Amino acid sequence: MAAATSATAIPSLDKVDFLKLQNGSDIRGVAISGVEGQPVSLTEPVTEAIAAAFAAWLLDKKKVDASRKLRVSIGHDSRISAQQLQDAVSRGIASAGLEVVQYGLASTPAMFNSTLTEDEAFLCPADGAIMITASHLPYNRNGFKFFTNAGGLGKSDIKDILERAANIYSGFIAKGYSVKNASDSVKKVDYITVYTSDLVKAVRKAAGNIEKPLEGFRIIVDAGNGAGGFFAAKVLEPLGAITSGSQFLEPDGMFPNHIPNPEDKAAMKAITEAVLSKKADLGIIFDTDVDRSAAVDSTGRELNRNRLIALMSAIVLDEHPGTTIVTDSVTSDGLTSFIERKLGGKHHRFKRGYKNVIDEAIRLNSVGEESHLAMETSGHGALKENHWLDDGAYLMVKLLNKLASAKASGRGDGSKVLTDLVEGLEEPAIAVELRLKINQSHPDLKGRSFREYGEAVLQHLGNSIALSPKLQKAPVNYEGVRVSGFGGWFLLRLSLHDPVLPLNIEAPSHEDAVKLGLEVASAVKEFQALDTSALDKFVQPR
């Protein structure tokens, strides 16, 4: 069905530094005015130029003959700027002569899936897909993630697209920009129905093709007013689960209840309280665009961060004994011990950044080291069996499979089957992250970039640690300086995008954590542009 896009007044065009919109393998910016000091950077002309640039990039990649029109699917999360940006993206794609398919409210994983599904009734597969989202960032932000059937685009692809967009935008300035109607080439499809039916089939299959394998289970979903509300009605209920008590399922881009983020304490408190008050068997929480998730068992125990990685590792290593589990750099020593000693797998601790973790797992497989799970403590988790897509809904389906198969085999103790899988995971008494900011205007930088200054801090810390008999640098480490001592460990690393050195400390007691903190404080004190106030406060006597 064709859909018209609304006409808008012709805006005046300001100069734009497109490369500043890059956020690793995503594009992010400010889409709504009203927050002081945050001018709008994702205007409609900027968005249209980015979409047209993606279309040009896709035409170059696919190299199809002129007889076939390429097709791009577009979806968005619940943000209040979504509709305006969807219209601008549609115009940009249509201006390049490509077919536009709008999905409306969607999840990031569903958008990638649309490039794999083969069903012409739903105009699939798409040659490319765009998800309009800024994950858990505040309401005024938005952004774009891009996919082909080979997966999400990488950093170099995003840079290429933004450079093309800058040229297209220059053309807008030179020739004048006007809003053109894209309705002739825009179609609308309810793709989330296709995506969720595949998830339902996966759970039924795991339980021996029982129609309602979750019958009798009360499972609560907290979507945080993001895009994940579909999971209750379209996945859990067809499987027989009772979902009453689920909360914040309605899309609301102002996120009035809590930030949709499985790492956020208020968000986890909200789902935990709901599980306990409703006496649910399981709670499930998603981030805004459903590429991250976490769970809560019937006792209120959070299954996120290291615990969720441990749980997924137990499930995957049962299916693929001995396989390598790739994680980000801030995972605990206890997780390594659990994966390697308890489960018989191999833990490959890599860098922060979900794309880094996923790409490393793919690389290991390419050189003969089998890996089936790549997971970040943030809740991004990707499985080889699911095309290395970080899909929060699919991760939860793997948990549901365990519940369903346990019930089918006669076990009747609900989510205890999941809790039992992480038994033996050693967890620290103290786990903190402190952020040491680099003051970019401080004279101590001496003309260096914040990244060069941060690297100098890390180099000096590494040299200092080598002189301490109480501390031991990690023998294999891919990011920052990771050190063990006093029964715990710390990692100081440079943020992927910001002038910040995050410091993670885990220890068996506050006293031991302070000892580790003091070692860092002593080593970095000569770096005057480094704001160590958070660390100084932490190591002060109580």
Side-chain angles (χ1 to χ4, degrees), residues 24-228:
S25 52
D26 303 344
I27 289 172
R28 293 215 179 137
V30 177
I32 296 287
S33 61
V35 177
E36 193 176 343
Q38 296 186 20
V40 173
S41 53
L42 286 182
T43 61
E44 289 188 60
V46 165
T47 298
E48 193 172 319
I50 290 169
F54 174 64
W57 177 92
L58 193 64
L59 285 163
D60 283 353
K61 286 286 175 188
K62 295 288 181 179
K63 292 186 169 58
V64 293
D65 62 70
S67 65
R68 186 168 92 78
K69 202 172 186 180
L70 289 182
R71 178 186 290 158
V72 174
S73 58
I74 306 167
H76 59 76
D77 67 17
S78 59
R79 290 171 183 279
I80 57 176
S81 55
Q83 192 60 53
Q84 182 181 345
L85 294 188
Q86 178 182 258
D87 289 346
V89 168
S90 299
R91 291 195 298 271
I93 298 297
S95 71
L98 277 63
E99 185 179 329
V100 179
V101 186
Q102 293 179 353
Y103 290 171
L105 189 70
S107 72
T108 293
M111 297 313 299
F112 171 56
N113 260 47
S114 73
T115 68
L116 304 175
T117 300
E118 296 191 4
D119 189 338
E120 196 54 42
F122 287 89
L123 305 179
C124 289
D127 297 289
I130 301 175
M131 178 66 181
I132 303 169
T133 182
S135 189
H136 61 282
L137 292 183
Y139 77 93
N140 65 322
R141 305 298 185 92
N142 218 326
F144 312 106
K145 294 182 179 181
F146 303 90
F147 300 93
T148 68
N149 59 1
L153 271 58
K155 290 179 187 176
S156 60
D157 299 318
I158 298 301
K159 185 170 184 280
D160 182 354
I161 287 167
L162 287 171
E163 286 169 346
R164 292 171 188 252
N167 290 332
I168 293 167
Y169 189 82
S170 295
F172 289 169
I173 292 174
K175 299 173 188 171
Y177 171 77
S178 61
V179 176
K180 298 179 180 67
N181 198 323
S183 62
D184 292 345
S185 53
V186 174
K187 297 180 175 64
K188 289 193 172 185
V189 162
D190 174 24
Y191 180 75
I192 208 77
T193 298
V194 181
Y195 169 71
T196 51
S197 70
D198 288 342
L199 298 178
V200 169
K201 284 174 196 167
V203 181
R204 285 178 178 153
K205 184 181 176 185
N209 296 314
I210 298 169
E211 181 73 10
K212 297 200 169 180
L214 299 179
E215 197 155 25
F217 283 114
R218 181 183 291 276
I219 302 176
I220 285 176
V221 176
D222 183 328
N225 303 109

Side-chain angles (χ1 to χ4, degrees), residues 280-304:
D281 294 290
L282 188 70
I284 289 172
I285 185 166
F286 295 112
D287 78 335
T288 319
D289 59 328
V290 202
D291 59 2
R292 296 188 295 136
S293 57
V296 175
D297 75 8
S298 57
T299 70
R301 189 182 190 206
E302 295 178 2
L303 298 169
N304 65 347

Side-chain angles (χ1 to χ4, degrees), residues 427-432 485-489 505-514 516:
E427 300 191 78
I430 300 292
V432 294
F486 305 109
W489 60 272
I505 301 175
E506 289 192 6
S509 70
H510 181 79
E511 185 184 8
D512 290 320
V514 166
L516 288 167

